[in-house]
Amino acid sequence: MALVGQPNAGKSTLFNAIVGYRAVAANFPGTTVEALRGQASIDGERAEVVDLPGTYSLLGGDVAERVTRDFLLAGEADAIVQVVDSSLLGRSLELTLELAELGIPAVLCLNMMDEAEHKGIAIDREALSSLLGIPVVAAIASRGQGVVELLAALPQARPVRRPPYTPDVERALARIVEAITRNPDFQGPSPIHRAAQLLAGADAVLDAEMAQAVEEARAALARGRGEDPGVILADERHAQAMRLFEAVARVGQPHIGWRERLDDVLMHPFLGYPFLLLALLGLFAAVFVVGDALEGLLSPLLDAVSGQISAALGTGPLAAVLLGAWDGLAAGVALVLPYLIPFLFLLAFLEDVGYMPRVGYLLDGLMHRIGLHGKSVIPFLLGYGCTVPAVLATRILDDERDRLVTAALAVMVPCAGRTIVIMGLVGRYVGPVVAFLLYLGNVLVIALAGWALTKVLPGVGPGLILEIPPYRWPRGRNLVGKTWLRLRGFVMLALPLLAVSSAFLALAEALGWARGFNAAVRFLTWPMGLPAEAGVPLVLGILRKELSLVMLDGALPGGVETLSWAQMIVFTVFVLFYVPCLATVGALGRELGWRRTGIVILGTTGLGLVLALLARAALRA
Amino acid sequence: MSFDFPVSLASLPPGGAGRLVAIHGGRGQALRLRRLGLRPGALVRIVAAGGWGGPVLVEVDGCRVAVGRGLARHILVEPLNPPGVTRGHGTR
């Protein structure tokens, strides 16, 4: 069973309600960019549930939309659930009509019924069900309402009844269908869908006969109407959708409340910016205050356990290794979790409220100065959480060049791992103001890099088209679920990695290997004015960025507090920019290709080194 | 209701409303805009216009769409005159 629908209709929220919290859901269009799979029990049987990226149509406008189209055309789905934002039913029915051409059994899920009521829209479900010939279920996925009813309705899924187009369009389609069915190579769920795609000029022909049929049909239609056949089809579906909508929905008085008024301030051409700055400052301050307090509580506790273990084990290489593993784990818990949890929670809050697309809107003008537009802001903002989803999120961009530039720049946005280094080292020992300045400096460097990249890769991408969803008050459960989902990656992957690396480092030190390695990379650490012990941690930081801080703490005899302020800042600057972590390199390779990934790695490392040296020079002065 | 001569969407002031007449420019972009309700004949209202050459925020069919300034220049609308006001020429 596959969940299909327009962006931000709540497919991922519904997916989570069906299979447990597995997919990141948020209040902005384009949260899901790849097909996610889960298992659920439907009608007493195990069934696979697939959450697909949101799509306005099956034409495949951007990479995320192509993922959905290709999945549906591959014929993997036995049934489709079209998830609809009920407050936008009229527009959503256009996609329903496109799905009708596929002929796959479907159920319509009227999600966000509360939003529809808020807008004063009442929908006659039975009338809609009999007009489309498929079950129609009402739901509020964010509260888990309607999920049971939806699963119960699945066995009744039927292909959507396809209303005919006007006779001239039907004639054109019939002409192409005839040519398609005669081709032995034709595969796919339905010739009528392929014919419509071909008529719209959105698909490739298989043979000369088809090419001729398509050419003739397009020419005949364009001659009769004086318009592009793609536009004609879109307009006809729109008209049909509107007729359906008028037959089943009554529109009353909408409520005007805080949500409608809030944008008057938050998206105001002048007032919007101070509020944006305030929101980011608030986020930063909250993470720092909560993180600092939590760390203060945890640190003495973990230190005490460390002392106990050390006393019990005595000395010797094995004891050193075991103690090293524990220290890595403890440092991970004490340094990392306190900052990570509040940060991920607040990021989830901003996402679910719906502030992200507003930031995109506010920064569109500025983004144009660096050769991008406001939609690129979403990958950047996600980058503050983790760079991997940020790189994947570039799929929502329509233009290839924009994707490349955005991915290359998003890699430099400090992710949660680097936030740990900034907060745990500079924030804690040098002061929060300096830490905040590092964030500002980072934004400035990214802007300059973007400006420079635009000089190398000129070309104006298409302008911004971004739906701005209404504000929604997030549900606590969903925020906790999302925070946990993202935190899990850290707990499952980073904590063991910290323990193993730390044990390895202890062993290397006991055997005297670390010194040799540190000497080998002295050509890097020396010009930056860092102690030789920083060599191994910096290289291990390629695995995960926060690892470099935790390792450094273990490698220095007196811990990181023995570094001078200047050394702390130089170290952090270098960690901020040099080689993105391994997971990011993997994601970049998949999205951009390995050659471009190589260039990004070399470029960011070179930039990191130059900036670290500049920082050193500036701090000495 | 009366409509004035067509002007670009970018030149409508915040709070101004109009009827969309035509979308010039790339076919892909035009189809995308249509999907969001921005099609000839649609009634649109400008909610806000961003600073620094930023996008215009348009309300159409009860939902809000941000459209880049450059793109908005390629969208023609007939401004809707407030009741009782008639003008003999376009706003420019």
CSV table of all heavy atoms in Angstrom, one decimal, chain A residues 56-57 61-62 88 91 94 98 119 200 228 231 235 238 263 267 269 273 361 364-365 398 462-468, chain B residues 27 29 31-37 39 48-57 61-69 71:
chain,number,residue,atom,x,y,z
A,56,TYR,N,2.5,17.2,-6.8
A,56,TYR,CA,1.4,17.9,-7.3
A,56,TYR,C,0.8,17.2,-8.5
A,56,TYR,O,-0.4,17.4,-8.8
A,56,TYR,CB,1.7,19.3,-7.7
A,56,TYR,CG,2.1,20.2,-6.5
A,56,TYR,CD1,3.4,20.6,-6.2
A,56,TYR,CD2,1.1,20.6,-5.6
A,56,TYR,CE1,3.7,21.4,-5.1
A,56,TYR,CE2,1.4,21.4,-4.5
A,56,TYR,CZ,2.7,21.8,-4.3
A,56,TYR,OH,3.0,22.6,-3.2
A,57,SER,N,1.6,16.4,-9.2
A,57,SER,CA,1.1,15.8,-10.4
A,57,SER,C,2.1,14.6,-10.7
A,57,SER,O,3.1,14.4,-10.0
A,57,SER,CB,1.2,16.7,-11.6
A,57,SER,OG,2.5,16.8,-12.1
A,61,GLY,N,8.1,16.9,-11.8
A,61,GLY,CA,8.7,18.2,-11.9
A,61,GLY,C,10.1,18.3,-11.3
A,61,GLY,O,11.0,18.8,-11.9
A,62,ASP,N,10.2,17.7,-10.1
A,62,ASP,CA,11.6,17.7,-9.5
A,62,ASP,C,11.9,16.2,-9.1
A,62,ASP,O,11.1,15.3,-9.3
A,62,ASP,CB,11.6,18.6,-8.3
A,62,ASP,CG,10.6,18.3,-7.2
A,62,ASP,OD1,10.4,17.1,-6.9
A,62,ASP,OD2,10.0,19.2,-6.6
A,88,LEU,N,-7.9,21.8,1.2
A,88,LEU,CA,-7.5,22.1,-0.2
A,88,LEU,C,-8.0,21.0,-1.1
A,88,LEU,O,-7.4,20.6,-2.1
A,88,LEU,CB,-5.9,22.1,-0.3
A,88,LEU,CG,-5.2,23.2,0.5
A,88,LEU,CD1,-3.7,22.9,0.5
A,88,LEU,CD2,-5.5,24.6,0.0
A,91,ARG,N,-8.2,21.4,-5.2
A,91,ARG,CA,-6.9,21.3,-5.8
A,91,ARG,C,-6.4,19.9,-5.8
A,91,ARG,O,-5.8,19.4,-6.8
A,91,ARG,CB,-5.9,22.2,-5.1
A,91,ARG,CG,-4.8,22.6,-5.9
A,91,ARG,CD,-3.9,23.5,-5.1
A,91,ARG,NE,-3.1,22.8,-4.2
A,91,ARG,CZ,-2.4,23.3,-3.3
A,91,ARG,NH1,-2.3,24.6,-3.1
A,91,ARG,NH2,-1.6,22.6,-2.5
A,94,GLU,N,-7.4,17.2,-8.5
A,94,GLU,CA,-6.7,17.1,-9.8
A,94,GLU,C,-5.8,15.9,-9.8
A,94,GLU,O,-5.6,15.2,-10.8
A,94,GLU,CB,-5.9,18.4,-10.0
A,94,GLU,CG,-6.9,19.6,-10.3
A,94,GLU,CD,-6.1,20.9,-10.5
A,94,GLU,OE1,-5.0,20.9,-11.2
A,94,GLU,OE2,-6.5,21.9,-10.0
A,98,GLU,N,-5.7,12.3,-12.0
A,98,GLU,CA,-4.5,11.8,-12.6
A,98,GLU,C,-4.2,10.3,-12.2
A,98,GLU,O,-3.9,9.5,-13.0
A,98,GLU,CB,-3.3,12.6,-12.3
A,98,GLU,CG,-2.7,13.3,-13.5
A,98,GLU,CD,-1.4,14.1,-13.1
A,98,GLU,OE1,-1.6,15.0,-12.3
A,98,GLU,OE2,-0.4,13.8,-13.7
A,119,LYS,N,-11.7,26.4,8.0
A,119,LYS,CA,-11.9,27.2,6.8
A,119,LYS,C,-13.4,27.2,6.4
A,119,LYS,O,-13.7,27.8,5.4
A,119,LYS,CB,-11.1,26.7,5.6
A,119,LYS,CG,-9.6,27.1,5.7
A,119,LYS,CD,-9.0,27.0,4.3
A,119,LYS,CE,-7.5,27.1,4.3
A,119,LYS,NZ,-6.9,26.8,3.0
A,200,ALA,N,0.9,15.3,-23.2
A,200,ALA,CA,1.4,16.5,-22.5
A,200,ALA,C,2.8,16.8,-22.8
A,200,ALA,O,3.4,17.8,-22.4
A,200,ALA,CB,1.2,16.3,-21.0
A,228,ASP,N,-1.0,24.9,-25.7
A,228,ASP,CA,-0.2,23.7,-25.5
A,228,ASP,C,-1.0,22.6,-24.9
A,228,ASP,O,-1.8,22.7,-23.9
A,228,ASP,CB,0.9,24.1,-24.5
A,228,ASP,CG,1.9,22.9,-24.2
A,228,ASP,OD1,2.7,22.7,-25.0
A,228,ASP,OD2,1.6,22.3,-23.2
A,231,VAL,N,-1.0,22.1,-21.2
A,231,VAL,CA,-1.8,23.1,-20.4
A,231,VAL,C,-3.3,22.7,-20.6
A,231,VAL,O,-4.1,22.8,-19.6
A,231,VAL,CB,-1.5,24.5,-21.0
A,231,VAL,CG1,-2.5,25.5,-20.4
A,231,VAL,CG2,-0.1,24.9,-20.7
A,235,ASP,N,-5.8,22.1,-17.5
A,235,ASP,CA,-7.0,22.9,-17.4
A,235,ASP,C,-8.2,22.0,-17.3
A,235,ASP,O,-9.2,22.3,-16.6
A,235,ASP,CB,-7.1,23.9,-18.5
A,235,ASP,CG,-6.2,25.1,-18.2
A,235,ASP,OD1,-5.6,25.2,-17.1
A,235,ASP,OD2,-6.0,25.9,-19.1
A,238,HIS,N,-8.4,20.4,-14.0
A,238,HIS,CA,-8.8,21.4,-13.1
A,238,HIS,C,-10.3,21.6,-13.1
A,238,HIS,O,-11.0,21.7,-12.0
A,238,HIS,CB,-8.0,22.7,-13.3
A,238,HIS,CG,-8.5,23.8,-12.5
A,238,HIS,ND1,-8.2,23.9,-11.2
A,238,HIS,CD2,-9.2,24.9,-12.8
A,238,HIS,CE1,-8.7,25.0,-10.7
A,238,HIS,NE2,-9.4,25.7,-11.6
A,263,ASP,N,1.1,36.0,10.4
A,263,ASP,CA,1.9,36.3,9.2
A,263,ASP,C,2.0,37.8,8.9
A,263,ASP,O,3.0,38.3,8.3
A,263,ASP,CB,1.4,35.6,8.0
A,263,ASP,CG,1.9,34.2,7.9
A,263,ASP,OD1,2.9,33.9,8.5
A,263,ASP,OD2,1.3,33.4,7.1
A,267,MET,N,5.8,37.8,8.6
A,267,MET,CA,6.2,37.8,7.2
A,267,MET,C,6.2,39.3,6.7
A,267,MET,O,6.2,39.5,5.5
A,267,MET,CB,5.3,37.0,6.3
A,267,MET,CG,5.5,35.5,6.6
A,267,MET,SD,4.5,34.4,5.6
A,267,MET,CE,5.4,34.2,4.1
A,269,PRO,N,7.5,42.8,5.6
A,269,PRO,CA,8.8,43.1,4.9
A,269,PRO,C,9.9,43.7,5.9
A,269,PRO,O,11.1,43.6,5.6
A,269,PRO,CB,8.5,44.1,3.8
A,269,PRO,CG,7.0,44.4,4.0
A,269,PRO,CD,6.4,43.4,4.9
A,273,TYR,N,12.1,40.4,9.9
A,273,TYR,CA,13.5,40.1,10.1
A,273,TYR,C,14.0,40.2,11.5
A,273,TYR,O,14.6,39.2,12.0
A,273,TYR,CB,14.4,41.0,9.2
A,273,TYR,CG,14.1,40.7,7.7
A,273,TYR,CD1,13.2,41.4,7.0
A,273,TYR,CD2,14.7,39.6,7.1
A,273,TYR,CE1,12.9,41.1,5.7
A,273,TYR,CE2,14.4,39.3,5.8
A,273,TYR,CZ,13.5,40.1,5.1
A,273,TYR,OH,13.2,39.7,3.8
A,361,TYR,N,10.8,32.3,2.6
A,361,TYR,CA,10.2,33.5,2.0
A,361,TYR,C,11.0,34.8,2.4
A,361,TYR,O,11.3,35.6,1.5
A,361,TYR,CB,8.8,33.6,2.5
A,361,TYR,CG,8.1,35.0,2.2
A,361,TYR,CD1,7.5,35.2,1.0
A,361,TYR,CD2,8.1,36.0,3.2
A,361,TYR,CE1,6.9,36.4,0.7
A,361,TYR,CE2,7.5,37.2,2.9
A,361,TYR,CZ,6.9,37.4,1.7
A,361,TYR,OH,6.3,38.6,1.4
A,364,ASP,N,14.5,35.0,0.6
A,364,ASP,CA,14.6,34.8,-0.9
A,364,ASP,C,15.4,35.9,-1.5
A,364,ASP,O,16.2,35.6,-2.4
A,364,ASP,CB,13.2,34.7,-1.5
A,364,ASP,CG,13.2,34.4,-3.0
A,364,ASP,OD1,13.6,33.3,-3.4
A,364,ASP,OD2,12.8,35.3,-3.8
A,365,GLY,N,15.0,37.1,-1.1
A,365,GLY,CA,15.7,38.3,-1.7
A,365,GLY,C,17.2,38.2,-1.5
A,365,GLY,O,18.0,38.4,-2.4
A,398,ASP,N,14.1,22.5,-8.3
A,398,ASP,CA,13.8,22.1,-9.6
A,398,ASP,C,15.0,22.0,-10.5
A,398,ASP,O,15.0,21.3,-11.5
A,398,ASP,CB,12.8,23.1,-10.2
A,398,ASP,CG,11.7,23.4,-9.3
A,398,ASP,OD1,11.2,22.5,-8.6
A,398,ASP,OD2,11.3,24.6,-9.2
A,462,PRO,N,15.3,28.8,-11.9
A,462,PRO,CA,13.9,29.3,-12.0
A,462,PRO,C,13.6,30.0,-10.6
A,462,PRO,O,14.2,29.7,-9.6
A,462,PRO,CB,13.0,28.1,-12.2
A,462,PRO,CG,13.9,26.9,-11.7
A,462,PRO,CD,15.3,27.3,-11.9
A,463,GLY,N,12.6,30.9,-10.7
A,463,GLY,CA,12.3,31.7,-9.5
A,463,GLY,C,11.6,30.8,-8.5
A,463,GLY,O,11.3,29.7,-8.7
A,464,LEU,N,11.4,31.4,-7.3
A,464,LEU,CA,10.8,30.7,-6.2
A,464,LEU,C,9.3,30.5,-6.4
A,464,LEU,O,8.5,31.4,-6.8
A,464,LEU,CB,11.0,31.6,-4.9
A,464,LEU,CG,10.3,31.1,-3.6
A,464,LEU,CD1,11.1,29.9,-3.0
A,464,LEU,CD2,10.1,32.2,-2.6
A,465,ILE,N,8.8,29.2,-6.2
A,465,ILE,CA,7.4,28.9,-6.0
A,465,ILE,C,7.3,28.1,-4.8
A,465,ILE,O,7.8,26.9,-4.8
A,465,ILE,CB,6.8,28.1,-7.3
A,465,ILE,CG1,7.1,28.9,-8.6
A,465,ILE,CG2,5.4,27.9,-7.1
A,465,ILE,CD1,6.7,28.1,-9.8
A,466,LEU,N,6.8,28.6,-3.7
A,466,LEU,CA,6.8,27.9,-2.5
A,466,LEU,C,5.5,28.0,-1.8
A,466,LEU,O,5.0,29.2,-1.5
A,466,LEU,CB,8.0,28.3,-1.6
A,466,LEU,CG,8.1,27.7,-0.2
A,466,LEU,CD1,8.4,26.2,-0.4
A,466,LEU,CD2,9.3,28.3,0.5
A,467,GLU,N,4.8,26.9,-1.5
A,467,GLU,CA,3.6,27.0,-0.8
A,467,GLU,C,3.9,27.4,0.7
A,467,GLU,O,4.7,26.8,1.3
A,467,GLU,CB,2.9,25.7,-0.9
A,467,GLU,CG,1.4,25.8,-1.1
A,467,GLU,CD,0.7,24.5,-1.0
A,467,GLU,OE1,1.3,23.5,-1.5
A,467,GLU,OE2,-0.4,24.4,-0.4
A,468,ILE,N,3.1,28.3,1.2
A,468,ILE,CA,3.3,28.6,2.6
A,468,ILE,C,2.1,28.0,3.4
A,468,ILE,O,1.0,28.6,3.3
A,468,ILE,CB,3.3,30.2,2.8
A,468,ILE,CG1,4.3,30.8,1.8
A,468,ILE,CG2,3.6,30.5,4.2
A,468,ILE,CD1,5.8,30.6,2.2
B,27,ARG,N,7.4,26.9,-19.7
B,27,ARG,CA,6.2,26.0,-19.6
B,27,ARG,C,6.1,25.3,-18.3
B,27,ARG,O,5.1,25.1,-17.7
B,27,ARG,CB,6.2,25.1,-20.8
B,27,ARG,CG,5.1,24.2,-20.9
B,27,ARG,CD,5.2,23.4,-22.2
B,27,ARG,NE,4.4,22.2,-22.2
B,27,ARG,CZ,4.7,21.1,-21.6
B,27,ARG,NH1,5.9,21.0,-21.0
B,27,ARG,NH2,3.9,20.1,-21.5
B,29,GLN,N,7.4,26.1,-15.3
B,29,GLN,CA,7.0,27.0,-14.3
B,29,GLN,C,5.5,27.3,-14.3
B,29,GLN,O,4.8,27.3,-13.3
B,29,GLN,CB,7.8,28.3,-14.3
B,29,GLN,CG,9.3,28.1,-14.1
B,29,GLN,CD,9.6,27.8,-12.7
B,29,GLN,OE1,9.6,26.6,-12.4
B,29,GLN,NE2,9.9,28.7,-11.9
B,31,LEU,N,3.1,25.4,-15.5
B,31,LEU,CA,2.3,24.3,-15.0
B,31,LEU,C,2.4,24.2,-13.5
B,31,LEU,O,1.4,23.9,-12.9
B,31,LEU,CB,2.9,23.0,-15.7
B,31,LEU,CG,2.4,22.7,-17.1
B,31,LEU,CD1,3.0,21.4,-17.6
B,31,LEU,CD2,0.8,22.6,-17.1
B,32,ARG,N,3.6,24.4,-13.0
B,32,ARG,CA,3.7,24.4,-11.5
B,32,ARG,C,2.8,25.4,-10.8
B,32,ARG,O,2.1,25.1,-9.8
B,32,ARG,CB,5.1,24.8,-11.2
B,32,ARG,CG,5.9,23.7,-10.5
B,32,ARG,CD,7.3,23.8,-10.6
B,32,ARG,NE,7.7,22.5,-10.5
B,32,ARG,CZ,7.8,21.8,-9.4
B,32,ARG,NH1,7.6,22.4,-8.3
B,32,ARG,NH2,8.1,20.5,-9.4
B,33,LEU,N,2.8,26.6,-11.4
B,33,LEU,CA,1.9,27.7,-10.8
B,33,LEU,C,0.5,27.3,-10.9
B,33,LEU,O,-0.3,27.5,-10.0
B,33,LEU,CB,2.2,29.0,-11.6
B,33,LEU,CG,3.5,29.7,-11.2
B,33,LEU,CD1,3.8,30.8,-12.2
B,33,LEU,CD2,3.5,30.2,-9.8
B,34,ARG,N,0.1,26.7,-12.0
B,34,ARG,CA,-1.3,26.2,-12.2
B,34,ARG,C,-1.7,25.2,-11.2
B,34,ARG,O,-2.8,25.3,-10.6
B,34,ARG,CB,-1.5,25.6,-13.6
B,34,ARG,CG,-1.8,26.5,-14.7
B,34,ARG,CD,-1.6,25.9,-16.0
B,34,ARG,NE,-1.6,27.0,-17.0
B,34,ARG,CZ,-2.7,27.3,-17.7
B,34,ARG,NH1,-3.8,26.6,-17.5
B,34,ARG,NH2,-2.7,28.3,-18.5
B,35,ARG,N,-0.8,24.3,-10.8
B,35,ARG,CA,-1.1,23.3,-9.8
B,35,ARG,C,-1.4,24.0,-8.5
B,35,ARG,O,-2.1,23.4,-7.7
B,35,ARG,CB,0.1,22.4,-9.6
B,35,ARG,CG,0.3,21.4,-10.7
B,35,ARG,CD,-0.8,20.4,-10.6
B,35,ARG,NE,-0.9,19.5,-11.7
B,35,ARG,CZ,-1.6,18.4,-11.8
B,35,ARG,NH1,-2.4,18.1,-10.7
B,35,ARG,NH2,-1.6,17.7,-12.8
B,36,LEU,N,-0.8,25.1,-8.2
B,36,LEU,CA,-1.1,25.8,-7.0
B,36,LEU,C,-2.2,26.8,-7.1
B,36,LEU,O,-2.5,27.5,-6.2
B,36,LEU,CB,0.2,26.5,-6.5
B,36,LEU,CG,1.3,25.6,-6.1
B,36,LEU,CD1,2.6,26.3,-6.1
B,36,LEU,CD2,1.0,24.9,-4.8
B,37,GLY,N,-3.0,26.7,-8.2
B,37,GLY,CA,-4.1,27.6,-8.3
B,37,GLY,C,-3.9,28.8,-9.1
B,37,GLY,O,-4.8,29.6,-9.3
B,39,ARG,N,-3.8,30.3,-12.1
B,39,ARG,CA,-4.1,30.1,-13.5
B,39,ARG,C,-5.0,31.2,-14.0
B,39,ARG,O,-5.6,31.9,-13.2
B,39,ARG,CB,-4.9,28.8,-13.6
B,39,ARG,CG,-6.2,28.7,-12.8
B,39,ARG,CD,-6.9,27.4,-13.0
B,39,ARG,NE,-6.1,26.3,-12.4
B,39,ARG,CZ,-5.7,25.3,-13.0
B,39,ARG,NH1,-5.9,25.2,-14.3
B,39,ARG,NH2,-5.0,24.3,-12.4
B,48,ALA,N,1.5,40.1,1.1
B,48,ALA,CA,2.7,40.8,1.5
B,48,ALA,C,3.7,40.8,0.4
B,48,ALA,O,3.6,39.9,-0.5
B,48,ALA,CB,3.3,40.3,2.8
B,49,ALA,N,4.6,41.8,0.4
B,49,ALA,CA,5.7,41.8,-0.6
B,49,ALA,C,7.0,41.8,0.2
B,49,ALA,O,7.1,42.7,1.0
B,49,ALA,CB,5.5,43.0,-1.6
B,50,GLY,N,7.9,40.9,-0.1
B,50,GLY,CA,9.1,40.8,0.7
B,50,GLY,C,10.0,42.0,0.5
B,50,GLY,O,10.0,42.6,-0.6
B,51,GLY,N,10.9,42.2,1.5
B,51,GLY,CA,11.9,43.3,1.3
B,51,GLY,C,13.0,42.8,0.4
B,51,GLY,O,13.1,41.6,0.1
B,52,TRP,N,13.9,43.7,0.0
B,52,TRP,CA,15.1,43.4,-0.8
B,52,TRP,C,14.8,42.7,-2.0
B,52,TRP,O,15.4,41.6,-2.3
B,52,TRP,CB,16.1,42.7,0.1
B,52,TRP,CG,16.7,43.4,1.2
B,52,TRP,CD1,17.2,44.7,1.2
B,52,TRP,CD2,16.8,43.0,2.6
B,52,TRP,NE1,17.6,45.1,2.4
B,52,TRP,CE2,17.4,44.1,3.3
B,52,TRP,CE3,16.5,41.9,3.3
B,52,TRP,CZ2,17.6,44.0,4.6
B,52,TRP,CZ3,16.7,41.8,4.6
B,52,TRP,CH2,17.3,42.9,5.3
B,53,GLY,N,13.8,43.1,-2.7
B,53,GLY,CA,13.4,42.4,-4.0
B,53,GLY,C,12.9,41.0,-3.7
B,53,GLY,O,13.0,40.1,-4.6
B,54,GLY,N,12.4,40.7,-2.5
B,54,GLY,CA,12.0,39.4,-2.1
B,54,GLY,C,10.7,39.1,-2.8
B,54,GLY,O,10.1,39.8,-3.6
B,55,PRO,N,10.2,37.8,-2.5
B,55,PRO,CA,9.0,37.4,-3.2
B,55,PRO,C,7.7,38.1,-2.8
B,55,PRO,O,7.7,38.7,-1.8
B,55,PRO,CB,8.9,35.9,-2.8
B,55,PRO,CG,9.7,35.8,-1.6
B,55,PRO,CD,10.7,36.9,-1.5
B,56,VAL,N,6.7,37.9,-3.6
B,56,VAL,CA,5.4,38.4,-3.2
B,56,VAL,C,4.6,37.2,-2.6
B,56,VAL,O,4.7,36.0,-3.1
B,56,VAL,CB,4.6,39.0,-4.4
B,56,VAL,CG1,5.1,40.3,-4.7
B,56,VAL,CG2,4.6,38.1,-5.6
B,57,LEU,N,3.8,37.4,-1.6
B,57,LEU,CA,3.0,36.4,-1.0
B,57,LEU,C,1.6,36.5,-1.5
B,57,LEU,O,1.0,37.6,-1.3
B,57,LEU,CB,3.1,36.5,0.5
B,57,LEU,CG,2.3,35.4,1.3
B,57,LEU,CD1,3.0,34.0,1.0
B,57,LEU,CD2,2.4,35.7,2.8
B,61,ASP,N,-7.3,30.8,-3.9
B,61,ASP,CA,-8.1,29.6,-3.5
B,61,ASP,C,-7.9,29.3,-2.0
B,61,ASP,O,-7.9,28.2,-1.6
B,61,ASP,CB,-7.8,28.3,-4.2
B,61,ASP,CG,-8.2,28.4,-5.7
B,61,ASP,OD1,-9.0,29.2,-6.0
B,61,ASP,OD2,-7.6,27.6,-6.5
B,62,GLY,N,-7.8,30.4,-1.2
B,62,GLY,CA,-7.7,30.2,0.3
B,62,GLY,C,-6.3,29.6,0.7
B,62,GLY,O,-6.2,29.2,1.9
B,63,CYS,N,-5.3,29.5,-0.2
B,63,CYS,CA,-4.0,29.1,0.4
B,63,CYS,C,-3.0,30.1,-0.1
B,63,CYS,O,-3.2,30.9,-1.1
B,63,CYS,CB,-3.7,27.7,0.0
B,63,CYS,SG,-3.2,27.4,-1.7
B,64,ARG,N,-1.8,30.1,0.6
B,64,ARG,CA,-0.8,31.1,0.3
B,64,ARG,C,0.4,30.6,-0.4
B,64,ARG,O,0.9,29.5,0.0
B,64,ARG,CB,-0.4,31.8,1.7
B,64,ARG,CG,-1.6,32.6,2.2
B,64,ARG,CD,-1.3,33.1,3.6
B,64,ARG,NE,-2.4,34.0,4.0
B,64,ARG,CZ,-2.4,34.8,5.1
B,64,ARG,NH1,-1.4,34.8,5.9
B,64,ARG,NH2,-3.4,35.5,5.3
B,65,VAL,N,0.8,31.3,-1.4
B,65,VAL,CA,2.0,30.8,-2.2
B,65,VAL,C,3.0,32.0,-2.3
B,65,VAL,O,2.6,33.1,-2.6
B,65,VAL,CB,1.5,30.4,-3.6
B,65,VAL,CG1,2.7,29.9,-4.4
B,65,VAL,CG2,0.4,29.4,-3.5
B,66,ALA,N,4.2,31.7,-2.0
B,66,ALA,CA,5.3,32.7,-2.2
B,66,ALA,C,5.8,32.6,-3.7
B,66,ALA,O,6.1,31.5,-4.1
B,66,ALA,CB,6.4,32.5,-1.3
B,67,VAL,N,5.8,33.7,-4.4
B,67,VAL,CA,6.3,33.6,-5.8
B,67,VAL,C,7.4,34.6,-5.9
B,67,VAL,O,7.3,35.8,-5.6
B,67,VAL,CB,5.1,34.0,-6.8
B,67,VAL,CG1,5.6,34.0,-8.2
B,67,VAL,CG2,3.9,33.1,-6.6
B,68,GLY,N,8.6,34.1,-6.4
B,68,GLY,CA,9.8,35.0,-6.6
B,68,GLY,C,9.4,36.2,-7.4
B,68,GLY,O,8.6,36.2,-8.3
B,69,ARG,N,10.1,37.3,-7.0
B,69,ARG,CA,9.8,38.6,-7.7
B,69,ARG,C,10.0,38.5,-9.2
B,69,ARG,O,9.1,39.0,-10.0
B,69,ARG,CB,10.7,39.7,-7.1
B,69,ARG,CG,10.5,41.1,-7.5
B,69,ARG,CD,9.1,41.5,-7.2
B,69,ARG,NE,8.8,41.6,-5.7
B,69,ARG,CZ,8.9,42.7,-5.0
B,69,ARG,NH1,9.3,43.8,-5.5
B,69,ARG,NH2,8.7,42.6,-3.7
B,71,LEU,N,9.7,36.0,-11.2
B,71,LEU,CA,8.6,35.2,-11.7
B,71,LEU,C,7.3,36.0,-11.7
B,71,LEU,O,6.5,36.0,-12.7
B,71,LEU,CB,8.4,33.9,-10.9
B,71,LEU,CG,7.9,32.7,-11.5
B,71,LEU,CD1,8.7,32.3,-12.8
B,71,LEU,CD2,7.9,31.5,-10.5
